[in-house]
Amino acid sequence: MDNRPIGFFDSGVGGLTSIPHLFEKLPNEKVIFFGDTARTPYGSKSPNTINLFAQQIGDFLMAENVKMIVIACNTVSAIALDKLRERFPDIPIIGVISPTARVVANQCSANNKIGVMATKATVESGAYINKIIEKSDEKLSIFQIACPALVPLIEEGFTGTEIMRLTLKHYLDDFITNNKIDTLVLGCTHYPLVKEAIKNLYPKIKIISSSEEVIEAIAIELEKVDGFAVENNLSNRFYASDLSAGFTNMIKEVLGEKEERYSIRFKNLDI
Ligand code: DGL
């Protein structure tokens, strides 16, 4: 048993999309979330910068005495997971790509055409292709597309707008048609915030979301170290490097009305 919180982080609001799935599947767990809203997006930054930011956030979460770190960001998972594990060897550190790749490998066969939409850094890392191939016995067809305009638009609150619909069409229409995609991986934790818009545009496509698939991996890790929390009254804490209205609104949206035990705080990370 371990009632310490789980540390989650993302470049901004995207990683918050994992939190409702966590509370649904593991309701006793508490979180300390850090969104680097002052420096988002990460997806178009260089690996050196992404590694530096990830280590600063890791230092902060370790100082908050978390029992595990969940990298609720595909970009950081693709670039910085191994370095973070080296830096913090004493606690489990989980990224979102491996658990998602496992689901793709389990659910898809050679008949499927898999599309991965992600940030530029994630696409360039090749992490999804490598992990899916590693976990599958079949010769799967995997196509990738970088969608760099999506994260800034989502952070600015454009999720339900016509601009978003046109931007999604711009990236996905030809990608889906030309490659005959039938399974689409949301390889960025911001993208569940536009999942409905994607479904409306392409209703026949099966969607796999990295924000959701990571939860089972958390449960497996906690089980291994006998680290599940028991029922408790501790609060959830949400930190951001810029306390934007988008961040606070998104927390209310993802937590819903019933979750009352949380606080929202500013945290400056020295650059
Ligand atoms: N949510 C992050 C991801 O999953 C977004 C990265 C970004 O800031 O561009 O990749």
Side-chain angles (χ1 to χ4, degrees), residues 10-11 14 40-43 73-75 119 122 151 188-190:
D10 181 47
S11 63
T40 196
Y42 283 10
C73 175
N74 289 264
T75 307
T119 65
T122 300
V151 169
C188 170
T189 52
H190 282 69

Side-chain angles (χ1 to χ4, degrees), residues 33-197:
F33 182 94
F34 180 84
D36 202 357
T37 44
R39 303 190 291 195
T40 196
Y42 283 10
S44 309
K45 293 186 167 63
S46 69
N48 277 349
T49 300
I50 294 167
N51 271 309
L52 173 70
F53 290 177
Q55 287 179 12
Q56 289 173 335
I57 298 167
D59 288 344
F60 165 64
L61 291 173
M62 290 303 285
E64 293 289 312
N65 194 25
V66 296
K67 63 181 169 187
M68 168 191 278
I69 293 179
V70 179
I71 308 174
C73 175
N74 289 264
T75 307
V76 178
S77 302
I79 306 294
L81 176 61
D82 293 342
K83 286 209 167 64
L84 279 183
R85 283 183 173 154
E86 273 167 33
R87 191 173 174 95
F88 309 112
D90 297 332
I91 60 165
I93 302 186
I94 296 179
V96 280
I97 293 182
S98 245
T100 310
R102 188 174 309 120
V103 171
V104 175
N106 287 343
Q107 295 187 2
C108 294
S109 71
N111 296 329
N112 291 113
K113 303 272 184 258
I114 302 154
V116 178
M117 53 187 296
T119 65
K120 211 160 144 273
T122 300
V123 166
E124 281 170 5
S125 75
Y128 263 104
I129 294 191
N130 295 338
K131 283 288 170 198
I132 294 171
I133 289 173
E134 185 188 304
K135 291 175 195 303
S136 175
D137 299 330
E138 307 222 28
K139 202 170 171 338
L140 299 179
S141 309
I142 310 161
F143 305 88
Q144 303 191 98
I145 185 159
C147 308
L150 292 184
V151 169
L153 283 176
I154 292 168
E155 288 283 333
E156 291 299 328
F158 280 76
T159 45
T161 65
E162 182 64 6
I163 293 175
M164 180 57 77
R165 197 182 73 83
L166 293 173
T167 310
L168 287 168
K169 276 175 75 61
H170 165 79
Y171 285 127
L172 297 178
D173 269 1
D174 288 352
F175 176 67
I176 286 176
T177 310
N178 295 347
N179 301 311
K180 302 188 170 56
I181 301 294
D182 55 34
T183 306
L184 189 62
V185 177
L186 307 186
C188 170
T189 52
H190 282 69
Y191 299 171
L193 295 164
V194 291
K195 186 174 169 184
E196 283 311 307

